[in-house]
């Protein structure tokens, strides 16, 4: 693993571009670790991110942050150029691509596996051309049906997120009788559209959409019923990092914890999700969650040949 000391921002250079290492072979989805839950690092190239207030709003600062995540051990780096938080203002695809494409190209050259966080098919297509390997569509196919055709044509993994409404309406669409059951039913309906377009079951990763048209109680219910989502037969991604329901849980003297104060709680959610078999977690603090998934993996030993287990026992 490369030393963090060589990452941009840790030496005299003021821009990450001049000190990028020699390009490496592009990382491949099929080579991701299979013996633990994966850690996807969140990289928001936006001026209005709820979690960091726009700390990585320029390509240079975003590349530097992405490389730090990569050298810290992130399995995937999820790059987004448009905030998807409730109430966020939409941006045009030209601006979105101006933000994300240089970042994706630089991270891929460094050897990172990159996903593109977008609701726009044209941006997803441009990102894949720049080297991204996964489409993360948090709209759940509700904004641009062309996403299904793109995923089918390119055969890349597609993250299907549950969401009702859009950034301006989702907070009013939290009426569920059985949140886990209804989320699965609605995801299955979108999945049928993906299948009809030619997307294969192996490409689909499901995300319950914590915080998207769910209130605090419903978010916790979904985390408690990950098995219901897993019964769909797809990989499950949990994306609860720094979200409002964690801030509410950590309220002190009537004041909810701020986003940057929620990383320890996020790591706890990571450990629980990993223990319950989540394929990956999407987080801001890569190091803490990487530690958490390693602990969870030790609690649930993988199935191995008896000879390997005996050899390990002899060294402990």
């Amino acid at each position: 693993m490369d030393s963090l000391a060589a990452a941009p921002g840790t030496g005299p250079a003021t821009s990450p571009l001049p000190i990028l290492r020699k390009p490496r072979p592009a990382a491949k989805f099929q080579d991701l670790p299979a013996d633990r839950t994966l850690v996807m690092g969140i990289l928001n190239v936006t001026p209005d991110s709820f979690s960091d207030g726009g700390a990585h709003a320029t390509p240079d600062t975003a590349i530097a942050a992405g490389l730090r995540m990569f050298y810290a051990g992130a399995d995937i780096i999820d790059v987004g150029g448009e905030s998807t938080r409730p109430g966020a203002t939409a941006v045009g695809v030209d601006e979105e691509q101006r933000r994300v494409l240089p970042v994706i190209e630089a991270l891929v050259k460094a050897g990172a596996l990159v996903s593109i966080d977008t609701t726009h098919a044209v941006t997803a297509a441009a990102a894949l051309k720049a080297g991204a390997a996964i489409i993360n569509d948090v709209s759940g196919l509700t904004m641009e049906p062309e996403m299904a055709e793109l995923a089918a044509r390119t055969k890349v993994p597609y993250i299907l997120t549950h969401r009702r409404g859009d950034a301006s309406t989702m907070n009013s669409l939290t009426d569920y009788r059985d949140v886990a059951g209804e989320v699965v039913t609605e995801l299955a309906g979108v999945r049928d559209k993906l299948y009809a377009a030619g997307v294969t079951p192996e490409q689909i990763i499901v995300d319950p959409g914590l915080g998207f048209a769910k209130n605090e109680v419903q978010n916790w219910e979904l985390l408690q019923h990950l098995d219901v989502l897993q019964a769909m037969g797809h990989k499950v991604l949990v994306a609860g990092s720094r979200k409002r329901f964690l801030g509410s849980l950590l309220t002190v003297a009537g004041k909810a914890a701020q986003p940057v104060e929620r990383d320890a709680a996020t790591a706890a959610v990571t450990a629980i999700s990993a223990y319950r078999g989540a394929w990956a977690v999407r987080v801001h603090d890569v190091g803490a969650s990487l530690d958490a998934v390693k602990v969870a993996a030790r609690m649930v030993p993988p199935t191995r040949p008896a000879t390997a287990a005996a050899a390990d026992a002899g060294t402990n």
Side-chain angles (χ1 to χ4, degrees):
M1 179 60 65
D2 292 279
S3 169
L4 181 61
T10 59
T14 57
S15 167
L17 296 177
I19 58 173
L20 284 176
R21 290 183 174 86
K22 181 180 179 180
R24 298 179 176 184
K28 297 181 180 179
F29 184 85
Q30 59 267 31
D31 293 335
L32 287 168
D35 59 346
R36 61 167 172 80
T37 295
L38 304 175
V39 176
M40 173 187 284
I42 300 170
L43 185 56
N44 296 315
V45 195
T46 62
D48 57 345
S49 168
F50 88 92
S51 65
D52 57 36
H56 311 133
T58 68
D60 279 9
T61 57
I63 291 169
L67 288 173
R68 286 194 293 271
M69 288 184 191
F70 177 51
Y71 298 139
D75 300 297
I76 305 164
I77 300 175
D78 191 42
V79 179
E82 179 180 40
S83 178
T84 55
R85 61 180 171 78
T89 301
V91 301
V93 294
D94 289 342
E95 173 61 15
E96 181 185 34
Q97 292 175 37
R98 184 194 69 78
R99 294 175 181 180
V100 302
L101 295 182
V103 179
I104 292 170
E105 290 172 356
L107 295 179
V108 169
K109 285 180 181 179
L113 185 69
V114 174
S115 59
I116 174 63
D117 174 4
T118 184
T119 61
H120 305 293
V122 64
T123 296
L128 295 179
K129 186 175 181 181
I134 303 168
I135 298 172
N136 182 13
D137 176 12
V138 299
S139 79
L141 207 63
T142 59
M143 288 185 60
E144 297 188 7
E146 298 87 350
M147 279 285 201
E149 299 165 8
L150 176 64
R153 184 173 70 253
T154 58
K155 303 187 185 306
V156 300
Y158 176 88
I159 299 173
L160 169 58
T161 303
H162 179 270
R163 187 176 84 167
R164 291 176 173 178
D166 56 26
S168 64
T169 63
M170 66 175 74
N171 280 345
S172 65
L173 301 173
T174 60
D175 184 18
Y176 302 88
R177 291 189 177 182
D178 170 16
V179 64
E182 290 176 56
V183 164
V184 166
T185 297
E186 292 172 20
L187 283 172
V190 181
R191 179 180 63 181
D192 289 343
K193 296 177 182 178
L194 291 168
Y195 286 166
V199 177
T200 65
E202 295 75 20
Q203 286 176 257
I204 298 173
I205 300 159
V206 294
D207 178 345
L210 300 177
F212 293 154
K214 286 94 179 172
N215 62 31
E216 181 179 347
V217 171
Q218 292 160 351
N219 289 321
W220 289 114
E221 289 182 8
L222 283 169
L223 285 172
Q224 291 166 356
H225 294 92
L226 290 182
D227 57 320
V228 177
L229 277 87
Q230 290 165 330
M232 295 183 69
H234 305 288
K235 299 177 178 70
V236 174
L237 170 69
V238 175
S241 184
R242 294 184 181 175
K243 290 193 173 179
R244 187 181 305 170
F245 73 103
L246 296 178
S248 297
L249 176 70
L250 304 178
T251 295
V252 175
K255 183 179 180 181
Q258 294 302 300
V260 295
E261 299 171 330
R262 304 169 189 171
D263 284 338
T266 297
V269 170
T270 288
I272 293 167
S273 300
Y275 185 76
R276 292 184 171 174
W279 168 75
V281 292
R282 182 177 179 272
V283 299
H284 299 86
D285 184 346
V286 166
S289 279
L290 188 58
D291 288 348
V293 301
K294 290 178 179 178
V295 169
R298 291 293 293 176
M299 295 294 291
V300 188
T303 302
R304 296 170 298 167
T307 52
D312 280 359
T315 61
N316 292 334

